[in-house]
Amino acid sequence: MSGTIVVTYDGRGVASMVSAATLLASPDRLGRALHDGVRAAGDKTRTVVRKSLHQQMGTKRYGTIVAATRSFIPAPMTYAIEGSGKGLPIVEFPVRSSRAKGRTWRHQPRDGAGRFGPLPPSDIGFVMARPWRVEHNFKRSFVAADGTFKARLPGSTRTRKLFGPSVAKEIVKDATLTAFEATAPREMAAQITKRLARIVP
């Protein structure tokens, strides 16, 4: 699974400078200037996106976001930032557990003859985590013998590991998307104009 945000530079704002550069510089030099401008602008934007994702998702480590994102230039004048992977393991977020309180005979239902039956399934969870910087209690959750955080599946003895949000989904929405849209066009214009100015006398 992956989510990608892409910026493509519209050079109409510096059309006259590009025209002059084309006449005064070799095609290779002009192409390198444009490529370097896109790369520099994209790299600056990527840092902003990663920092925003770190805040938005609430991960404990910034490095977790770096490892789940990559950037590349898929076409001329275009820079892409991609988030990949499914939900991050819950240990990548602030997480804690509470002690499970055993249920007693008072919780056991009785049949018509007054005999105690088995304890009914419970949705009580004992694992709390803070994905998105908001505390969540996971239903039927517990700490397994090996120390991993798990939850029982409804109506079953089977269990699953606990996960938080996915970088692939979070990169294309909310504060991260807003930060990307505010930064990418501005940096593209600034970095490309600066490099074109260097090759125009």
mmCIF file of all heavy atoms in Angstrom, residues 119-162:
data_model
loop_
_atom_site.group_PDB
_atom_site.id
_atom_site.type_symbol
_atom_site.label_atom_id
_atom_site.label_comp_id
_atom_site.label_asym_id
_atom_site.label_seq_id
_atom_site.Cartn_x
_atom_site.Cartn_y
_atom_site.Cartn_z
ATOM 1 N N LEU A 119 -18.202 -17.594 32.401
ATOM 2 C CA LEU A 119 -18.120 -16.142 32.299
ATOM 3 C C LEU A 119 -18.378 -15.714 30.861
ATOM 4 O O LEU A 119 -17.819 -16.301 29.926
ATOM 5 C CB LEU A 119 -16.739 -15.644 32.735
ATOM 6 C CG LEU A 119 -16.458 -15.604 34.243
ATOM 7 C CD1 LEU A 119 -14.973 -15.367 34.483
ATOM 8 C CD2 LEU A 119 -17.283 -14.515 34.918
ATOM 9 N N PRO A 120 -19.183 -14.700 30.630
ATOM 10 C CA PRO A 120 -19.436 -14.240 29.261
ATOM 11 C C PRO A 120 -18.217 -13.510 28.705
ATOM 12 O O PRO A 120 -17.383 -12.994 29.460
ATOM 13 C CB PRO A 120 -20.608 -13.272 29.432
ATOM 14 C CG PRO A 120 -20.464 -12.755 30.832
ATOM 15 C CD PRO A 120 -19.948 -13.929 31.633
ATOM 16 N N PRO A 121 -18.068 -13.460 27.379
ATOM 17 C CA PRO A 121 -16.941 -12.721 26.783
ATOM 18 C C PRO A 121 -16.983 -11.238 27.201
ATOM 19 O O PRO A 121 -18.059 -10.679 27.410
ATOM 20 C CB PRO A 121 -17.175 -12.870 25.277
ATOM 21 C CG PRO A 121 -18.053 -14.058 25.138
ATOM 22 C CD PRO A 121 -18.931 -14.075 26.362
ATOM 23 N N SER A 122 -15.828 -10.666 27.318
ATOM 24 C CA SER A 122 -15.740 -9.258 27.729
ATOM 25 C C SER A 122 -14.976 -8.451 26.686
ATOM 26 O O SER A 122 -14.010 -8.938 26.089
ATOM 27 C CB SER A 122 -15.027 -9.146 29.080
ATOM 28 O OG SER A 122 -14.755 -7.802 29.401
ATOM 29 N N ASP A 123 -15.426 -7.207 26.466
ATOM 30 C CA ASP A 123 -14.729 -6.306 25.545
ATOM 31 C C ASP A 123 -13.739 -5.399 26.259
ATOM 32 O O ASP A 123 -13.153 -4.508 25.650
ATOM 33 C CB ASP A 123 -15.748 -5.439 24.790
ATOM 34 C CG ASP A 123 -16.475 -6.211 23.695
ATOM 35 O OD1 ASP A 123 -15.964 -7.284 23.302
ATOM 36 O OD2 ASP A 123 -17.533 -5.750 23.240
ATOM 37 N N ILE A 124 -13.569 -5.624 27.543
ATOM 38 C CA ILE A 124 -12.656 -4.777 28.310
ATOM 39 C C ILE A 124 -11.248 -4.882 27.729
ATOM 40 O O ILE A 124 -10.744 -5.971 27.442
ATOM 41 C CB ILE A 124 -12.644 -5.186 29.797
ATOM 42 C CG1 ILE A 124 -14.026 -4.957 30.415
ATOM 43 C CG2 ILE A 124 -11.582 -4.412 30.565
ATOM 44 C CD1 ILE A 124 -14.153 -5.466 31.828
ATOM 45 N N GLY A 125 -10.603 -3.735 27.543
ATOM 46 C CA GLY A 125 -9.244 -3.705 27.021
ATOM 47 C C GLY A 125 -8.279 -3.160 28.046
ATOM 48 O O GLY A 125 -8.636 -2.283 28.847
ATOM 49 N N PHE A 126 -7.048 -3.647 28.017
ATOM 50 C CA PHE A 126 -6.056 -3.242 29.002
ATOM 51 C C PHE A 126 -4.834 -2.582 28.358
ATOM 52 O O PHE A 126 -3.810 -2.422 29.007
ATOM 53 C CB PHE A 126 -5.635 -4.453 29.840
ATOM 54 C CG PHE A 126 -6.783 -5.082 30.573
ATOM 55 C CD1 PHE A 126 -7.431 -6.189 30.051
ATOM 56 C CD2 PHE A 126 -7.248 -4.530 31.752
ATOM 57 C CE1 PHE A 126 -8.510 -6.759 30.708
ATOM 58 C CE2 PHE A 126 -8.325 -5.083 32.428
ATOM 59 C CZ PHE A 126 -8.960 -6.203 31.902
ATOM 60 N N VAL A 127 -4.962 -2.217 27.084
ATOM 61 C CA VAL A 127 -3.873 -1.532 26.385
ATOM 62 C C VAL A 127 -4.375 -0.167 25.914
ATOM 63 O O VAL A 127 -5.421 -0.075 25.271
ATOM 64 C CB VAL A 127 -3.368 -2.344 25.180
ATOM 65 C CG1 VAL A 127 -2.298 -1.562 24.413
ATOM 66 C CG2 VAL A 127 -2.812 -3.691 25.644
ATOM 67 N N MET A 128 -3.638 0.873 26.268
ATOM 68 C CA MET A 128 -3.944 2.226 25.835
ATOM 69 C C MET A 128 -2.763 2.774 25.027
ATOM 70 O O MET A 128 -1.615 2.593 25.422
ATOM 71 C CB MET A 128 -4.206 3.149 27.033
ATOM 72 C CG MET A 128 -5.608 2.995 27.627
ATOM 73 S SD MET A 128 -5.837 1.422 28.509
ATOM 74 C CE MET A 128 -4.747 1.641 29.910
ATOM 75 N N ALA A 129 -3.046 3.423 23.910
ATOM 76 C CA ALA A 129 -2.000 4.018 23.075
ATOM 77 C C ALA A 129 -2.477 5.376 22.576
ATOM 78 O O ALA A 129 -3.663 5.694 22.647
ATOM 79 C CB ALA A 129 -1.657 3.104 21.909
ATOM 80 N N ARG A 130 -1.532 6.172 22.030
ATOM 81 C CA ARG A 130 -1.850 7.534 21.604
ATOM 82 C C ARG A 130 -1.521 7.783 20.130
ATOM 83 O O ARG A 130 -0.786 8.719 19.802
ATOM 84 C CB ARG A 130 -1.111 8.546 22.476
ATOM 85 C CG ARG A 130 -1.602 8.591 23.917
ATOM 86 C CD ARG A 130 -0.849 9.648 24.735
ATOM 87 N NE ARG A 130 -0.964 10.977 24.150
ATOM 88 C CZ ARG A 130 -2.010 11.777 24.329
ATOM 89 N NH1 ARG A 130 -3.036 11.387 25.063
ATOM 90 N NH2 ARG A 130 -2.034 12.979 23.776
ATOM 91 N N PRO A 131 -2.052 6.987 19.208
ATOM 92 C CA PRO A 131 -1.913 7.373 17.791
ATOM 93 C C PRO A 131 -2.694 8.663 17.547
ATOM 94 O O PRO A 131 -3.724 8.889 18.196
ATOM 95 C CB PRO A 131 -2.534 6.186 17.054
ATOM 96 C CG PRO A 131 -3.487 5.578 18.034
ATOM 97 C CD PRO A 131 -2.851 5.774 19.383
ATOM 98 N N TRP A 132 -2.222 9.486 16.648
ATOM 99 C CA TRP A 132 -2.810 10.805 16.383
ATOM 100 C C TRP A 132 -2.777 11.714 17.625
ATOM 101 O O TRP A 132 -3.511 12.680 17.734
ATOM 102 C CB TRP A 132 -4.251 10.699 15.871
ATOM 103 C CG TRP A 132 -4.412 9.927 14.617
ATOM 104 C CD1 TRP A 132 -4.018 10.298 13.354
ATOM 105 C CD2 TRP A 132 -5.007 8.630 14.468
ATOM 106 N NE1 TRP A 132 -4.333 9.314 12.449
ATOM 107 C CE2 TRP A 132 -4.946 8.286 13.101
ATOM 108 C CE3 TRP A 132 -5.599 7.737 15.366
ATOM 109 C CZ2 TRP A 132 -5.428 7.090 12.615
ATOM 110 C CZ3 TRP A 132 -6.075 6.535 14.875
ATOM 111 C CH2 TRP A 132 -5.996 6.230 13.518
ATOM 112 N N ARG A 133 -1.948 11.341 18.621
ATOM 113 C CA ARG A 133 -1.813 12.100 19.868
ATOM 114 C C ARG A 133 -3.107 12.140 20.684
ATOM 115 O O ARG A 133 -3.340 13.069 21.454
ATOM 116 C CB ARG A 133 -1.297 13.518 19.591
ATOM 117 C CG ARG A 133 0.043 13.524 18.872
ATOM 118 C CD ARG A 133 0.676 14.879 18.737
ATOM 119 N NE ARG A 133 1.949 14.769 18.038
ATOM 120 C CZ ARG A 133 3.109 14.462 18.603
ATOM 121 N NH1 ARG A 133 3.161 14.252 19.899
ATOM 122 N NH2 ARG A 133 4.210 14.361 17.884
ATOM 123 N N VAL A 134 -3.939 11.141 20.473
ATOM 124 C CA VAL A 134 -5.189 11.008 21.233
ATOM 125 C C VAL A 134 -5.216 9.603 21.830
ATOM 126 O O VAL A 134 -5.014 8.613 21.121
ATOM 127 C CB VAL A 134 -6.425 11.221 20.336
ATOM 128 C CG1 VAL A 134 -7.704 11.001 21.132
ATOM 129 C CG2 VAL A 134 -6.403 12.625 19.732
ATOM 130 N N GLU A 135 -5.500 9.512 23.114
ATOM 131 C CA GLU A 135 -5.463 8.194 23.756
ATOM 132 C C GLU A 135 -6.642 7.330 23.317
ATOM 133 O O GLU A 135 -7.791 7.779 23.281
ATOM 134 C CB GLU A 135 -5.474 8.328 25.275
ATOM 135 C CG GLU A 135 -5.297 6.981 25.984
ATOM 136 C CD GLU A 135 -4.869 7.111 27.414
ATOM 137 O OE1 GLU A 135 -3.646 7.267 27.649
ATOM 138 O OE2 GLU A 135 -5.740 7.083 28.299
ATOM 139 N N HIS A 136 -6.318 6.080 22.961
ATOM 140 C CA HIS A 136 -7.328 5.104 22.557
ATOM 141 C C HIS A 136 -7.183 3.861 23.431
ATOM 142 O O HIS A 136 -6.075 3.402 23.710
ATOM 143 C CB HIS A 136 -7.138 4.697 21.090
ATOM 144 C CG HIS A 136 -7.381 5.797 20.115
ATOM 145 N ND1 HIS A 136 -8.581 5.989 19.471
ATOM 146 C CD2 HIS A 136 -6.563 6.788 19.673
ATOM 147 C CE1 HIS A 136 -8.507 7.038 18.674
ATOM 148 N NE2 HIS A 136 -7.287 7.543 18.774
ATOM 149 N N ASN A 137 -8.310 3.322 23.842
ATOM 150 C CA ASN A 137 -8.329 2.044 24.540
ATOM 151 C C ASN A 137 -8.775 0.974 23.545
ATOM 152 O O ASN A 137 -9.819 1.115 22.909
ATOM 153 C CB ASN A 137 -9.296 2.094 25.730
ATOM 154 C CG ASN A 137 -9.428 0.743 26.405
ATOM 155 O OD1 ASN A 137 -10.316 -0.041 26.077
ATOM 156 N ND2 ASN A 137 -8.542 0.466 27.337
ATOM 157 N N PHE A 138 -7.983 -0.061 23.376
ATOM 158 C CA PHE A 138 -8.285 -1.107 22.405
ATOM 159 C C PHE A 138 -9.123 -2.204 23.060
ATOM 160 O O PHE A 138 -8.693 -2.802 24.056
ATOM 161 C CB PHE A 138 -6.991 -1.698 21.832
ATOM 162 C CG PHE A 138 -6.223 -0.739 20.969
ATOM 163 C CD1 PHE A 138 -5.346 0.178 21.529
ATOM 164 C CD2 PHE A 138 -6.384 -0.744 19.592
ATOM 165 C CE1 PHE A 138 -4.647 1.066 20.729
ATOM 166 C CE2 PHE A 138 -5.687 0.136 18.785
ATOM 167 C CZ PHE A 138 -4.824 1.053 19.356
ATOM 168 N N LYS A 139 -10.281 -2.461 22.505
ATOM 169 C CA LYS A 139 -11.168 -3.485 23.059
ATOM 170 C C LYS A 139 -10.487 -4.856 23.063
ATOM 171 O O LYS A 139 -9.770 -5.208 22.135
ATOM 172 C CB LYS A 139 -12.456 -3.570 22.242
ATOM 173 C CG LYS A 139 -13.380 -2.373 22.387
ATOM 174 C CD LYS A 139 -14.653 -2.585 21.588
ATOM 175 C CE LYS A 139 -15.614 -1.422 21.766
ATOM 176 N NZ LYS A 139 -16.882 -1.625 21.005
ATOM 177 N N ARG A 140 -10.719 -5.593 24.129
ATOM 178 C CA ARG A 140 -10.236 -6.973 24.281
ATOM 179 C C ARG A 140 -8.713 -7.058 24.197
ATOM 180 O O ARG A 140 -8.162 -8.100 23.856
ATOM 181 C CB ARG A 140 -10.878 -7.891 23.220
ATOM 182 C CG ARG A 140 -12.397 -7.917 23.265
ATOM 183 C CD ARG A 140 -12.993 -8.744 22.132
ATOM 184 N NE ARG A 140 -12.626 -8.219 20.818
ATOM 185 C CZ ARG A 140 -13.238 -7.187 20.231
ATOM 186 N NH1 ARG A 140 -14.251 -6.593 20.830
ATOM 187 N NH2 ARG A 140 -12.837 -6.737 19.062
ATOM 188 N N SER A 141 -8.028 -5.963 24.477
ATOM 189 C CA SER A 141 -6.565 -5.949 24.354
ATOM 190 C C SER A 141 -5.883 -6.376 25.647
ATOM 191 O O SER A 141 -6.431 -6.234 26.744
ATOM 192 C CB SER A 141 -6.089 -4.546 23.952
ATOM 193 O OG SER A 141 -6.494 -3.579 24.910
ATOM 194 N N PHE A 142 -4.659 -6.870 25.489
ATOM 195 C CA PHE A 142 -3.891 -7.349 26.635
ATOM 196 C C PHE A 142 -2.420 -7.436 26.235
ATOM 197 O O PHE A 142 -2.071 -7.293 25.056
ATOM 198 C CB PHE A 142 -4.399 -8.726 27.083
ATOM 199 C CG PHE A 142 -4.239 -9.800 26.035
ATOM 200 C CD1 PHE A 142 -3.158 -10.669 26.054
ATOM 201 C CD2 PHE A 142 -5.173 -9.926 24.999
ATOM 202 C CE1 PHE A 142 -3.004 -11.652 25.086
ATOM 203 C CE2 PHE A 142 -5.031 -10.914 24.026
ATOM 204 C CZ PHE A 142 -3.946 -11.769 24.070
ATOM 205 N N VAL A 143 -1.570 -7.667 27.216
ATOM 206 C CA VAL A 143 -0.149 -7.869 26.946
ATOM 207 C C VAL A 143 0.122 -9.365 26.981
ATOM 208 O O VAL A 143 -0.122 -10.032 28.000
ATOM 209 C CB VAL A 143 0.731 -7.147 27.990
ATOM 210 C CG1 VAL A 143 2.209 -7.337 27.644
ATOM 211 C CG2 VAL A 143 0.393 -5.671 28.044
ATOM 212 N N ALA A 144 0.599 -9.905 25.872
ATOM 213 C CA ALA A 144 0.870 -11.342 25.784
ATOM 214 C C ALA A 144 2.094 -11.709 26.619
ATOM 215 O O ALA A 144 2.853 -10.847 27.074
ATOM 216 C CB ALA A 144 1.077 -11.742 24.324
ATOM 217 N N ALA A 145 2.296 -13.004 26.788
ATOM 218 C CA ALA A 145 3.409 -13.490 27.605
ATOM 219 C C ALA A 145 4.760 -13.042 27.065
ATOM 220 O O ALA A 145 5.716 -12.860 27.830
ATOM 221 C CB ALA A 145 3.348 -15.019 27.698
ATOM 222 N N ASP A 146 4.847 -12.865 25.739
ATOM 223 C CA ASP A 146 6.125 -12.434 25.144
ATOM 224 C C ASP A 146 6.282 -10.918 25.138
ATOM 225 O O ASP A 146 7.238 -10.390 24.561
ATOM 226 C CB ASP A 146 6.263 -12.979 23.721
ATOM 227 C CG ASP A 146 5.159 -12.482 22.794
ATOM 228 O OD1 ASP A 146 4.284 -11.715 23.250
ATOM 229 O OD2 ASP A 146 5.177 -12.859 21.603
ATOM 230 N N GLY A 147 5.333 -10.199 25.747
ATOM 231 C CA GLY A 147 5.435 -8.748 25.851
ATOM 232 C C GLY A 147 4.791 -7.972 24.724
ATOM 233 O O GLY A 147 4.776 -6.742 24.759
ATOM 234 N N THR A 148 4.260 -8.658 23.703
ATOM 235 C CA THR A 148 3.616 -7.955 22.596
ATOM 236 C C THR A 148 2.194 -7.548 22.990
ATOM 237 O O THR A 148 1.566 -8.184 23.832
ATOM 238 C CB THR A 148 3.565 -8.837 21.339
ATOM 239 O OG1 THR A 148 2.859 -10.046 21.647
ATOM 240 C CG2 THR A 148 4.968 -9.174 20.864
ATOM 241 N N PHE A 149 1.722 -6.485 22.342
ATOM 242 C CA PHE A 149 0.377 -5.995 22.610
ATOM 243 C C PHE A 149 -0.577 -6.633 21.606
ATOM 244 O O PHE A 149 -0.400 -6.507 20.397
ATOM 245 C CB PHE A 149 0.333 -4.471 22.495
ATOM 246 C CG PHE A 149 1.206 -3.778 23.509
ATOM 247 C CD1 PHE A 149 2.451 -3.277 23.140
ATOM 248 C CD2 PHE A 149 0.785 -3.640 24.814
ATOM 249 C CE1 PHE A 149 3.257 -2.650 24.069
ATOM 250 C CE2 PHE A 149 1.589 -3.011 25.754
ATOM 251 C CZ PHE A 149 2.830 -2.509 25.386
ATOM 252 N N LYS A 150 -1.600 -7.297 22.116
ATOM 253 C CA LYS A 150 -2.523 -8.019 21.252
ATOM 254 C C LYS A 150 -3.968 -7.762 21.680
ATOM 255 O O LYS A 150 -4.240 -7.175 22.722
ATOM 256 C CB LYS A 150 -2.232 -9.520 21.300
ATOM 257 C CG LYS A 150 -0.885 -9.915 20.710
ATOM 258 C CD LYS A 150 -0.709 -11.422 20.687
ATOM 259 C CE LYS A 150 0.594 -11.832 20.011
ATOM 260 N NZ LYS A 150 0.756 -13.307 19.964
ATOM 261 N N ALA A 151 -4.887 -8.249 20.844
ATOM 262 C CA ALA A 151 -6.319 -8.182 21.165
ATOM 263 C C ALA A 151 -6.981 -9.463 20.688
ATOM 264 O O ALA A 151 -6.614 -10.022 19.653
ATOM 265 C CB ALA A 151 -6.968 -6.975 20.502
ATOM 266 N N ARG A 152 -7.937 -9.934 21.453
ATOM 267 C CA ARG A 152 -8.702 -11.104 21.033
ATOM 268 C C ARG A 152 -9.717 -10.686 19.971
ATOM 269 O O ARG A 152 -10.316 -9.614 20.052
ATOM 270 C CB ARG A 152 -9.434 -11.730 22.222
ATOM 271 C CG ARG A 152 -8.521 -12.345 23.275
ATOM 272 C CD ARG A 152 -9.336 -13.079 24.334
ATOM 273 N NE ARG A 152 -10.337 -12.195 24.935
ATOM 274 C CZ ARG A 152 -10.080 -11.342 25.920
ATOM 275 N NH1 ARG A 152 -8.846 -11.251 26.407
ATOM 276 N NH2 ARG A 152 -11.038 -10.579 26.405
ATOM 277 N N LEU A 153 -9.922 -11.553 18.986
ATOM 278 C CA LEU A 153 -10.939 -11.294 17.975
ATOM 279 C C LEU A 153 -12.318 -11.524 18.582
ATOM 280 O O LEU A 153 -12.488 -12.386 19.461
ATOM 281 C CB LEU A 153 -10.723 -12.206 16.769
ATOM 282 C CG LEU A 153 -9.391 -12.016 16.021
ATOM 283 C CD1 LEU A 153 -9.277 -13.042 14.897
ATOM 284 C CD2 LEU A 153 -9.284 -10.613 15.466
ATOM 285 N N PRO A 154 -13.327 -10.768 18.165
ATOM 286 C CA PRO A 154 -14.671 -10.917 18.746
ATOM 287 C C PRO A 154 -15.184 -12.350 18.643
ATOM 288 O O PRO A 154 -15.114 -12.966 17.583
ATOM 289 C CB PRO A 154 -15.522 -9.963 17.894
ATOM 290 C CG PRO A 154 -14.559 -8.974 17.331
ATOM 291 C CD PRO A 154 -13.292 -9.733 17.113
ATOM 292 N N GLY A 155 -15.661 -12.867 19.757
ATOM 293 C CA GLY A 155 -16.250 -14.197 19.771
ATOM 294 C C GLY A 155 -15.290 -15.318 19.458
ATOM 295 O O GLY A 155 -15.697 -16.384 18.992
ATOM 296 N N SER A 156 -13.990 -15.099 19.689
ATOM 297 C CA SER A 156 -12.989 -16.099 19.327
ATOM 298 C C SER A 156 -11.851 -16.079 20.330
ATOM 299 O O SER A 156 -11.654 -15.106 21.064
ATOM 300 C CB SER A 156 -12.445 -15.810 17.920
ATOM 301 O OG SER A 156 -11.341 -16.646 17.608
ATOM 302 N N THR A 157 -11.108 -17.168 20.364
ATOM 303 C CA THR A 157 -9.900 -17.204 21.183
ATOM 304 C C THR A 157 -8.680 -16.763 20.382
ATOM 305 O O THR A 157 -7.592 -16.642 20.942
ATOM 306 C CB THR A 157 -9.663 -18.630 21.722
ATOM 307 O OG1 THR A 157 -9.562 -19.536 20.612
ATOM 308 C CG2 THR A 157 -10.808 -19.066 22.635
ATOM 309 N N ARG A 158 -8.866 -16.536 19.092
ATOM 310 C CA ARG A 158 -7.758 -16.078 18.248
ATOM 311 C C ARG A 158 -7.412 -14.635 18.594
ATOM 312 O O ARG A 158 -8.254 -13.860 19.065
ATOM 313 C CB ARG A 158 -8.127 -16.190 16.776
ATOM 314 C CG ARG A 158 -8.358 -17.613 16.296
ATOM 315 C CD ARG A 158 -8.855 -17.625 14.879
ATOM 316 N NE ARG A 158 -7.900 -16.985 13.972
ATOM 317 C CZ ARG A 158 -8.193 -16.616 12.724
ATOM 318 N NH1 ARG A 158 -9.419 -16.806 12.242
ATOM 319 N NH2 ARG A 158 -7.278 -16.052 11.966
ATOM 320 N N THR A 159 -6.164 -14.271 18.329
ATOM 321 C CA THR A 159 -5.700 -12.919 18.661
ATOM 322 C C THR A 159 -5.035 -12.263 17.455
ATOM 323 O O THR A 159 -4.692 -12.931 16.477
ATOM 324 C CB THR A 159 -4.681 -12.953 19.818
ATOM 325 O OG1 THR A 159 -3.511 -13.689 19.403
ATOM 326 C CG2 THR A 159 -5.281 -13.603 21.055
ATOM 327 N N ARG A 160 -4.884 -10.967 17.542
ATOM 328 C CA ARG A 160 -4.175 -10.204 16.515
ATOM 329 C C ARG A 160 -3.278 -9.188 17.198
ATOM 330 O O ARG A 160 -3.535 -8.775 18.337
ATOM 331 C CB ARG A 160 -5.159 -9.479 15.604
ATOM 332 C CG ARG A 160 -5.975 -8.395 16.305
ATOM 333 C CD ARG A 160 -6.832 -7.609 15.345
ATOM 334 N NE ARG A 160 -7.610 -6.572 16.015
ATOM 335 C CZ ARG A 160 -7.149 -5.357 16.314
ATOM 336 N NH1 ARG A 160 -5.901 -5.027 15.997
ATOM 337 N NH2 ARG A 160 -7.919 -4.473 16.910
ATOM 338 N N LYS A 161 -2.227 -8.789 16.508
ATOM 339 C CA LYS A 161 -1.365 -7.725 17.019
ATOM 340 C C LYS A 161 -2.050 -6.375 16.824
ATOM 341 O O LYS A 161 -2.924 -6.232 15.970
ATOM 342 C CB LYS A 161 -0.017 -7.749 16.304
ATOM 343 C CG LYS A 161 0.826 -8.977 16.616
ATOM 344 C CD LYS A 161 2.180 -8.906 15.919
ATOM 345 C CE LYS A 161 3.031 -10.122 16.258
ATOM 346 N NZ LYS A 161 4.368 -10.071 15.583
ATOM 347 N N LEU A 162 -1.637 -5.404 17.604
ATOM 348 C CA LEU A 162 -2.240 -4.072 17.523
ATOM 349 C C LEU A 162 -1.399 -3.167 16.626
ATOM 350 O O LEU A 162 -0.164 -3.184 16.677
ATOM 351 C CB LEU A 162 -2.345 -3.455 18.922
ATOM 352 C CG LEU A 162 -3.218 -4.208 19.926
ATOM 353 C CD1 LEU A 162 -3.230 -3.477 21.267
ATOM 354 C CD2 LEU A 162 -4.630 -4.375 19.394
#
